[in-house]
Amino acid sequence: MLTCPYCNHEIYMRKLPHQGFFKSYRICPNCEGSFTPDPDTKQRQTIFIFTLIISLVFTLLLYFRSTEWLIPAIISYVILGLIAYLGNKRMFLVPYQSDQNNSKDI
């Protein structure tokens, strides 16, 4: 179970409101501390998106070309499922650090 890095309160990511489209943090409902997924999780998410695009291409080739693309499409979706499953098991939350460059004095 995911816990807040500040107060160790259990966090249910599906129930938390997102702070906005361009903000990459969430706020703990218990202590109101800001947190984000760890950097390794963000790298796994990038790999997931890349694999998702490859799977989509294989599916389109399967639809428009022929059934010879069926095996690569199935393999890509199996890999996609494994990445999602294993990635979610290794996810943990870290305190959110805002950019210090935005607060420079002129």
Side-chain angles (χ1 to χ4, degrees), residues 2-3 36-41 44 88 90-94:
L2 295 174
T3 59
T36 187
D38 62 299
D40 291 338
T41 298
R44 286 190 297 271
N88 285 338
R90 294 189 212 159
M91 179 176 158
F92 63 93
L93 304 174
V94 295

Side-chain angles (χ1 to χ4, degrees), residues 7 26 42 46 49-51 61 67 74 90 96 100:
C7 66
R26 304 278 177 106
K42 292 180 181 182
T46 303
I49 291 172
F50 181 71
T51 308
L61 286 171
T67 57
I74 290 172
R90 294 189 212 159
Y96 177 72
Q100 300 299 325

Side-chain angles (χ1 to χ4, degrees), residues 75-86:
I75 291 171
S76 68
Y77 281 110
V78 168
I79 291 171
L80 190 66
L82 287 173
I83 291 172
Y85 176 74
L86 296 174

Side-chain angles (χ1 to χ4, degrees), residues 37-75:
D38 62 299
D40 291 338
T41 298
K42 292 180 181 182
Q43 289 176 352
R44 286 190 297 271
Q45 289 172 346
T46 303
I47 294 170
F48 179 83
I49 291 172
F50 181 71
T51 308
L52 182 67
I53 292 169
I54 291 173
S55 299
L56 177 63
V57 168
F58 284 148
T59 303
L60 291 173
L61 286 171
L62 177 65
Y63 181 75
F64 288 112
R65 297 292 174 158
S66 68
T67 57
E68 65 188 28
W69 294 100
L70 179 63
I71 300 299
I74 290 172
I75 291 171

Side-chain angles (χ1 to χ4, degrees), residues 11-21 23-29 35:
I11 299 292
Y12 298 98
M13 293 295 281
R14 292 182 180 161
K15 294 182 180 179
L16 289 180
H18 202 275
Q19 300 306 311
F21 188 70
K23 296 181 180 175
S24 63
Y25 65 90
R26 304 278 177 106
I27 296 177
C28 176
F35 59 86

